Amino acid sequence: DARVTQTPRHKVTEMGQEVTMRCQPILGHNTVFWYRQTMMQGLELLAYFRNRAPLDDSGMPKDRFSAEMPDATLATLKIQPSEPRDSAVYFCASGMVLGEQFFGPGTRLTVL
Amino acid sequence: AQTVTQSQPEMSVQEAETVTLSCTYDTSENNYYLFWYKQPPSRQMILVIRQEAYKQQNATENRFSVNFQKAAKSFSLKISDSQLGDTAMYFCAFMKLGANAGKSTFGDGTTLTVKP
């Protein structure tokens, strides 16, 4: 049963600390997405990769957020430095170009 | 740019009854896919149903069906024989084909509560 995995599932950190979230997409999928979900903003697309190349990261605050795919089995989202307003649930999703997205379980981030 | 509008932030339905969730979208594209995703309290987002715009026949998946009106840019989800496990937030999503294929635009979601 192939699924997207994300680590950690929960993260509590202090303002100013670096946060790294990891995602393992489903093997064979060539698109990977990072989303942020909050009550106020809903589901926001932060970054989008195809064949490991970043296609769109316009939704991401560039000064503190970065997203990479060092290889086909790993996508990372890093926040440095973190701020309380970054508290949210971060989802990774993967898929094929012409198809639905398969979501991971999310990382709940709390920045104090 | 595409927009997806879900005009019903919250809805409720009695168990075993039928409910319809609305979704409209705005696009100048002719070829695209539409999706409904479900996010239960566990937060795990899962696909409910998918519709290709070139198909005139409405998609169905067991108790879930859509009413796809391409000219009206409307894509509603009907849930028949509602069950308690259908309680969730439902997101409508649009995906265009072509250069940026794969990237979806999501609506703000409709929270559905199924009452016993």
Side-chain angles (χ1 to χ4, degrees), chain B residues 1-2 26-30 32 73 94:
Chain B
Q2 286 67 231
D26 186 22
T27 185
S28 57
E29 304 286 332
N30 190 48
Y32 48 87
K73 297 178 183 175
F94 170 100

Side-chain angles (χ1 to χ4, degrees), chain B residues 35-114:
Chain B
F35 306 94
W36 279 98
Y37 290 88
K38 169 185 176 181
Q39 187 179 38
S42 67
R43 293 202 317 260
Q44 178 68 60
M45 190 93 79
I46 56 175
L47 178 74
V48 175
I49 202 164
R50 154 184 168 163
Q51 174 81 43
E52 291 88 343
Y54 66 85
K55 291 185 178 178
Q56 293 190 335
Q57 187 171 7
N58 288 325
T60 62
E61 285 289 343
N62 301 314
R63 298 182 296 106
F64 298 87
S65 61
V66 299
N67 183 4
F68 173 47
Q69 301 288 328
K70 191 173 184 180
K73 297 178 183 175
S74 170
F75 182 60
S76 60
L77 174 70
K78 185 171 84 171
I79 306 174
S80 304
D81 186 24
S82 297
Q83 300 176 358
L84 296 178
D86 296 333
T87 292
M89 179 168 278
Y90 289 80
F91 291 92
C92 177
F94 170 100
M95 187 182 81
K96 72 174 187 176
L97 308 183
N100 254 348
K103 176 182 170 182
S104 290
T105 301
F106 286 80
D108 289 336
T110 295
T111 300
L112 175 68
T113 302
V114 180

Side-chain angles (χ1 to χ4, degrees), chain A residues 15-87:
Chain A
M15 183 172 64
Q17 296 298 306
E18 178 178 300
V19 175
T20 298
M21 290 170 269
R22 293 177 174 80
C23 166
Q24 182 172 16
I26 293 173
L27 190 64
H29 283 182
N30 62 358
T31 60
V32 174
F33 306 85
W34 281 105
Y35 292 93
R36 175 169 64 183
Q37 187 176 34
T38 62
M39 291 292 291
M40 296 299 293
Q41 301 295 329
L43 197 62
E44 304 172 89
L45 177 67
L46 298 175
Y48 162 40
F49 293 80
R50 186 190 299 171
N51 296 323
R52 294 176 54 203
L55 285 194
D56 186 352
D57 61 1
S58 58
M60 205 162 63
K62 301 289 192 308
D63 56 337
R64 299 184 300 108
F65 284 60
S66 62
E68 296 179 345
M69 279 202 74
D71 61 62
T73 64
L74 177 64
T76 63
L77 179 67
K78 191 172 294 187
I79 309 174
Q80 167 63 20
S82 58
E83 298 180 1
R85 58 179 168 154
D86 301 329
S87 296

